[in-house]
Amino acid sequence: ITTITPTTTTTPSGTPKRRKPRLLNVGCGNSTMSEELYGDGFTSIVNIDFAPNVIEHMTQRAKQNGILHPPQQPQQDDLFYYLTMDCTDMSAFADQSFDGILDKGTVDSIMCSLDGDEMIDRMYSEISRLLNKVRSLSSPFSLSHSRF
């Protein structure tokens, strides 16, 4: 288990400021995990999934629960929103954008596809690019995907 802690940034005047950890939930599906993490104080979470209907449903649910916070300003601390995105191409995000990346079942789903090994390699390449120096990944499997 890895502990994810806030990182330090500086204000325009140069004063150090602790920033809430930014998390990326890859393959969020319709799980309540991100909402539960939000309730536990992790209020900067971006959720992605390749299914637009799931993203639409989850965005509406977050709105109804009063926790939807799309980006409106740079360095915003509280972010909670959903995006339709392929986890093998997350080029919409800048390098080292996240302090931790969560995967509840995406690797398992991808491993069932015919080109699973190649897709997992691309996914982990993107994850490596997106993680800041803390390098935290929560996944049910190790980075070695020889599970079968």
Side-chain angles (χ1 to χ4, degrees):
I1 296 178
T2 302
T3 302
I4 300 171
T5 57
T7 56
T8 303
T9 60
T10 54
T11 63
S13 64
T15 307
K17 175 186 170 193
R18 288 185 65 151
R19 178 175 62 74
K20 293 180 181 178
R22 290 198 175 150
L23 304 178
L24 175 64
N25 184 8
V26 176
C28 62
N30 63 359
S31 169
T32 61
M33 180 175 69
S34 288
E35 295 166 344
E36 292 171 22
L37 286 167
Y38 186 91
D40 289 339
F42 291 94
T43 57
S44 188
I45 305 173
V46 178
N47 301 278
I48 67 167
D49 199 286
F50 75 99
N53 60 326
V54 168
I55 294 302
E56 184 178 326
H57 170 75
M58 296 303 288
T59 297
Q60 290 305 314
R61 190 164 84 186
K63 255 187 221 177
Q64 290 171 350
N65 293 334
I67 62 174
L68 187 66
H69 302 288
Q72 297 178 1
Q73 60 186 6
Q75 304 305 316
Q76 179 179 340
D77 268 352
D78 289 334
L79 291 170
F80 191 94
Y81 62 99
Y82 293 86
L83 290 173
T84 302
M85 188 177 293
D86 180 343
C87 66
T88 65
D89 178 10
M90 297 183 275
S91 56
F93 300 123
D95 293 358
Q96 298 184 11
S97 296
F98 297 97
D99 301 304
I101 296 181
L102 309 168
D103 166 35
K104 185 176 171 198
T106 303
V107 169
D108 195 27
S109 294
I110 291 173
M111 285 302 295
C112 294
S113 67
L114 293 175
D115 56 349
D117 286 343
E118 179 186 327
M119 290 177 67
I120 295 286
D121 287 343
R122 290 195 324 251
M123 176 182 160
Y124 281 134
S125 177
E126 282 290 89
I127 285 172
S128 178
R129 180 183 67 78
L130 294 176
L131 279 171
N132 72 16
K133 293 178 181 27
V134 173
R135 300 283 182 192
S136 296
L137 170 68
S138 173
S139 177
F141 309 111
S142 70
L143 290 179
S144 166
H145 41 86
S146 58
R147 78 174 227 155
F148 296 107

